[in-house]
Amino acid sequence: MLRSLVGSEMCIRDRYQRRVRGTPNHTNMGCGSSASDSDDLRQLLGPELMTKDGARPTLEALAGKQHIMLYFSAHWCPPCRGYTPQLSEAYAASDKKESVAVVFLSSDKDQAAFDNYYADMSFFAMPYSDRNRKEELSSKYGVKGIPTLVLLDAGGTLVEQNIRGDHGKFL
């Protein structure tokens, strides 16, 4: 019992020190984020994410992130078209991009609509072709309408169901 309490105290101290220094959680695989967290993220979001520079391995794109925001949206949705520019501008101007990621999950009707809509965003996107995974994530996080902005921790665990309008607290 004492050994586990000491270990927990050390993990808390290590997490605090990493946060203060800005060191990614995955640098100490014995505490906090672990190799299995990485595997979980890859399973959750797929092997690659779209960036403004093309496809990039998910784990590389999300390395060192403390929070991941999943943005469920679509071009055909008027409230989304109102909120997307706000979120994109906030993310582009954020000094926390090294520790926070936003990933767009599209409910657009086709690849062309996705491409057109994503062109104006400043963050990552799940490839449009991964429709099954997008539907699974919608179900997993209880997305009933769009726009929805789900907040996850570094390991992909749900922190808050919908922070739409409150993204500034994390950016």
Side-chain angles (χ1 to χ4, degrees):
M1 177 72 164
L2 181 58
R3 174 177 255 156
S4 67
L5 288 175
V6 170
S8 295
E9 184 177 313
M10 289 173 64
C11 279
I12 292 167
R13 185 179 61 241
D14 289 347
R15 283 187 206 139
Y16 173 77
Q17 289 173 346
R18 284 192 305 267
R19 185 172 293 134
V20 168
R21 288 189 309 251
T23 307
N25 260 347
H26 60 79
T27 59
N28 181 351
M29 291 301 190
C31 176
S33 227
S34 68
S36 66
D37 287 344
S38 297
D39 292 339
D40 291 346
L41 279 178
R42 189 181 5 237
Q43 287 180 338
L44 189 70
L45 298 173
E48 293 183 326
L49 292 176
M50 301 304 300
T51 73
K52 293 305 176 176
D53 298 321
R56 191 168 164 199
T58 298
L59 298 183
E60 182 182 304
L62 300 179
K65 306 300 187 211
Q66 300 297 312
H67 289 105
I68 302 161
M69 299 178 188
L70 301 183
Y71 181 48
F72 295 85
S73 183
H75 183 262
W76 53 260
C77 164
C80 298
R81 286 196 314 267
Y83 183 61
T84 298
Q86 295 172 29
L87 180 60
S88 188
E89 289 169 15
Y91 186 70
S94 175
D95 60 353
K96 296 181 182 175
K97 283 186 278 225
E98 294 300 316
S99 63
V100 178
V102 178
V103 180
F104 168 51
L105 290 86
S106 177
S107 292
D108 285 304
K109 308 247 188 257
D110 56 44
Q111 182 73 48
F114 166 84
D115 292 341
N116 185 41
Y117 195 37
Y118 181 57
D120 295 328
M121 296 180 194
S122 62
F123 32 79
F124 305 133
M126 177 178 287
Y128 181 80
S129 59
D130 204 349
R131 307 315 303 149
N132 289 339
R133 189 178 315 271
K134 183 263 174 192
E135 290 303 321
E136 289 170 8
L137 290 171
S138 293
S139 178
K140 177 177 179 131
Y141 296 116
V143 175
K144 302 290 185 215
I146 55 174
T148 295
L149 187 62
V150 174
L151 181 66
L152 307 177
D153 69 12
T157 301
L158 180 66
V159 175
E160 289 194 45
Q161 192 78 28
N162 191 0
I163 59 166
R164 175 182 164 200
D166 289 332
H167 58 266
K169 294 177 184 176
F170 302 95
L171 294 176

